[in-house]
Amino acid sequence: MGWNGLGGQGMGDTAIVRTDVTGRIYLEGEVLPPQVAEIEPLAPGLAASGIPLDEFRPGDPLFDTAQEALAYKEAARSPATKRAYVSDFRLFAAWCGQAGLEALPATISTIGLYMTELSTGGAKVSTISRKLAAISFRHKEEKLPSPAP
């Protein structure tokens, strides 16, 4: 039996449907995902997600875990990667200076222009990706939102 366009199978069968708050259609009997109002926090009083790891303070229940995460984060980037990021950002900042643009904080438009310049200059996708990672890394170091995709 095929789909008849009315939500049922075959001729004369009509399935009852319902929608969630976003308008997504669900067949009768299908379990709807929980609504935002139904979701409860894991434990009241814990730090909200999105807090930078270095902002956890002694006494916070996640302070020790945050310190371990910071150590892992630091170890995740090799010295060679860090040197490449410093070099890549220095080149980006020089390019911005020549173009009369700000490197910190950079705008999405600045990033787009820089990527275009790199690609028309023959840079490979992997090189452009690393340069974008360097720009993002530097913005994070400075606690600025990264414009790099």
Side-chain angles (χ1 to χ4, degrees):
M1 298 194 148
W3 178 258
N4 67 11
L6 298 174
Q9 296 288 325
M11 299 299 289
D13 293 341
T14 304
I16 298 173
V17 297
R18 55 195 172 142
T19 62
D20 65 8
V21 294
T22 66
R24 183 171 173 191
I25 298 172
Y26 293 87
L27 294 176
E28 185 62 37
E30 189 175 349
V31 178
L32 291 168
Q35 301 302 308
V36 174
E38 299 170 352
I39 300 172
E40 295 184 23
L42 294 175
L46 288 181
S49 64
I51 294 176
L53 294 172
D54 58 353
E55 289 186 15
F56 285 87
R57 298 291 174 239
D60 187 301
L62 294 175
F63 176 76
D64 291 337
T65 305
Q67 295 306 302
E68 290 177 23
L70 281 169
Y72 283 122
K73 181 180 169 184
E74 188 64 29
R77 289 197 169 77
S78 72
T81 300
K82 291 177 186 175
R83 284 191 302 274
Y85 281 2
V86 167
S87 174
D88 286 341
F89 189 82
R90 190 179 316 117
L91 292 171
F92 171 68
W95 179 87
C96 285
Q98 291 174 348
L101 302 169
E102 293 292 323
L104 279 175
T107 66
I108 293 172
S109 297
T110 299
I111 299 298
L113 292 168
Y114 186 60
M115 287 174 48
T116 302
E117 178 89 10
L118 291 171
S119 64
T120 58
K124 295 181 181 178
V125 172
S126 60
T127 301
I128 295 171
S129 294
R130 190 194 70 229
K131 290 179 182 292
L132 290 174
I135 294 166
S136 179
F137 180 76
R138 180 65 186 271
H139 276 73
K140 287 176 186 174
E141 279 186 322
E142 300 293 327
K143 298 189 184 339
L144 296 168
S146 174

